[in-house]
Amino acid sequence: MKKRQQPSSIDVAHHAGVSQSAVSRTFSGRSVSEETRRKVLRAADELGYRPNALLRVITQQSNLIGVVMGEITNPFYPEVLEAFLVALEERGYRVMLKHLNGAKDADAAIEEVLAYKVRGIIVTSSYLGPEIAERCAKSDVPVVLFNRLIHGVDVSAISCDNVDAGRMVANLFMDCGFSRPAFISGSLAASSNLDRKKGFFDRLAERGGREPVVFGDEHSYEVGARAAADLLAQPERPDCIFCASDVLAFGAMDTLRAAGCLVPEHVSIVGFDDIPMAAWGAFNLTTLRQPRRRMVKEAVEILLSRIDGSSAKPVRLVPAELVMRGTLKAMA
Amino acid sequence: MKKRQQPSSIDVAHHAGVSQSAVSRTFSGRSVSEETRRKVLRAADELGYRPNALLRVITQQSNLIGVVMGEITNPFYPEVLEAFLVALEERGYRVMLKHLNGAKDADAAIEEVLAYKVRGIIVTSSYLGPEIAERCAKSDVPVVLFNRLIHGVDVSAISCDNVDAGRMVANLFMDCGFSRPAFISGSLAASSNLDRKKGFFDRLAERGGREPVVFGDEHSYEVGARAAADLLAQPERPDCIFCASDVLAFGAMDTLRAAGCLVPEHVSIVGFDDIPMAAWGAFNLTTLRQPRRRMVKEAVEILLSRIDGSSAKPVRLVPAELVMRGTLKAMA
DNA sequence: ATGAAAGCGCTAACAT
DNA sequence: ATGTTAGCGCTTTCAT
């Protein structure tokens, strides 16, 4: 005799000799006599009963949040994911995590998550096309874009002020008196990279700097390494490199150093993100910190306020912070 | 006039002028005339209807898998998490991700996940007490432990063969003729670290080596750095260090190098995990690879076979693989 | 405080 | 092929 099936509240009711509603009330913490509660809990324990949390989706509202995330293995994102999990769980939400492979299945992923009647969605993929954003905007469930701006579409978003950050780096390089800038980029399909590039290039131009050479296409160590190799092959070596992410910078630094090109003596490097590794002795990277705790906090706030009925769809920009470390040659 | 509420299949049925079952059939892909299907899809589109995937938990079985994960920010785990997501989603499951803060709330986390009627659970926290494992064993929903062995409890588990890996390192050190071994450990509350230590110590003893000094208590860069500092303060410096994880090794290496102690000239280092960063130029770390794709694959296989009714609760050990890189001084 | 009964959105079994 | 009906496990009236 095997008792596979999970017991229902009715089973518990019978076992305890009370009504099914008594069981329900006991577990939803409403008025029951101590007597009844005892009987119910005892029966539940004996039967191994556990109320089905998913069914709240029928009578009440779901407490699921969909988190759609690409680039999980870019060290910036585990930090972000953890922060989201903590913040969301703290407030009684549970997360359904959906992995994204580049932009291709983003559309399907959103649909998928919506099918589970999530209460809200957070999308952290940088590679989101406007069609998908459009779908998010149309959806009746609130969506917040993390680190992805889509202009002209009515979606909430939170992002670091990438344009301004790019400008900060340009100013820094000009102030240091550098004259041969380079930019190692992430994918220009992502607004974040485009914006960093834009701020960097524009400010450089404004201040009479030269237009940087640019390499790279994705946030990875390997791409950074290859870009640096390409840079070394140029007729004229750069004296300063702005990398659109810390991982890119690590790859570049390792390649440069292996080639005998000293950082920061021969070339200065500035990264982006300030992932924990940037502070490590092996890199000691000057970088622009994305205030991720704060960004996550605000993303969650926006999402929850939308869930609570607010119809505002704010787009919030938080400033990056320059973190000075050892990869920038002191000014002359 | 706002139309907040999400439409139900009944709404669609009315709108399309068909029965509710026609709607259900259309979306569950069963026999409907082309005519009906068209009408239904059209109505659904107009109303923005989407079948509620959660309700399958009532009539059928849930397709949710709970993934309970600690240490998300230890770079080993994002890789693992991604692999789990891909493998599980590929097979039609969705994942509910629960974050764990050390061991303290592991119990509650499992309970929580169980409340969502997940079909199975994967636990990747190394810090699992036997009581919780006991609860997993008792639960009617299959649980697979990843990288955590609990002896004497009837739970499925998959882990790298840590004892053997420890032995491999001991052999390596002895073969190289080293005589002053050290061990930088992760938390000894985790079976993985205990086992690595055991294999290392035992084999060293068997081959007449000296008992290693040991420092450390958690897989983080900072702990590795501190342990190395402690090691340097010892009257006699070690000539070889086995670090229970790559991040520990990175911290140790940076500290040693900063103190002028050359790796591998003065001291050889072996890490554990083979996370991508271990291959980076800055570290080029000799390490023991945990074959994570394979481990994930097997974990998923075990879980799914249990879901499919198998009552076997296998404990599988997969061998670690030595990856030789530059932090081991060539043998004399 | 408790039980009976209705209903949530869907699938499945039963009719036609 | 389609509509009708009966549940699934719960929460919520509504009585008592």
Side-chain angles (χ1 to χ4, degrees), chain A residues 21-197:
Chain A
S21 357
V23 178
S24 171
R25 279 192 266 256
T26 301
F27 281 99
S28 46
R30 278 165 303 147
S31 50
V32 235
S33 68
E34 200 41 56
E35 166 77 2
T36 308
R37 148 174 256 93
R38 256 198 335 93
K39 283 196 288 190
V40 169
L41 290 179
R42 186 152 181 285
D45 192 55
E46 284 177 19
L47 265 43
Y49 169 79
R50 196 187 319 278
N52 186 337
L54 282 183
L55 284 171
R56 98 174 56 194
V57 87
I58 303 193
T59 331
Q60 311 169 21
Q61 296 267 31
S62 140
N63 69 341
L64 253 31
I65 301 284
V67 174
V68 178
M69 177 169 270
E71 309 171 81
I72 298 190
T73 52
N74 170 348
F76 178 68
Y77 283 103
E79 308 274 333
V80 168
L81 176 57
E82 185 178 53
F84 271 121
L85 284 171
V86 170
L88 256 13
E89 288 180 356
E90 219 168 64
R91 302 181 189 232
Y93 290 93
R94 301 295 166 249
V95 352
M96 176 162 163
L97 180 63
K98 193 92 180 65
H99 172 253
L100 224 55
N101 233 319
K104 42 184 182 246
D105 44 19
D107 202 8
I110 306 258
E111 287 298 330
E112 180 66 39
V113 159
L114 282 173
Y116 285 81
K117 301 299 162 188
V118 294
R119 204 68 195 289
I121 303 185
I122 291 181
V123 183
T124 72
S125 172
S126 327
Y127 308 108
L128 257 201
E131 328 75 41
I132 295 150
E134 195 67 63
R135 158 154 281 133
C136 294
K138 275 193 342 199
S139 163
D140 40 344
V141 357
V143 177
V144 174
L145 267 29
F146 186 90
N147 241 345
R148 176 45 154 158
L149 259 29
I150 311 236
H151 300 289
V153 179
D154 198 24
V155 208
S156 310
I158 173 112
S159 171
C160 164
D161 189 339
N162 290 301
V163 177
D164 190 61
R167 278 190 221 114
M168 289 169 65
V169 179
N171 283 335
L172 191 64
F173 284 173
M174 293 303 287
D175 291 346
C176 287
F178 299 137
S179 59
R180 305 184 303 279
F183 180 61
I184 298 186
S185 176
S187 162
L188 294 178
S191 65
S192 48
N193 296 316
L194 272 176
D195 288 350
R196 285 165 207 176
K197 183 180 175 194

Side-chain angles (χ1 to χ4, degrees), chain B residues 61-87:
Chain B
Q61 296 268 30
S62 140
N63 69 342
L64 254 32
I65 300 284
V67 174
V68 177
M69 177 169 270
E71 306 171 83
I72 298 190
T73 51
N74 169 349
F76 178 67
Y77 283 104
E79 307 274 333
V80 168
L81 177 58
E82 186 177 50
F84 270 121
L85 286 171
V86 171

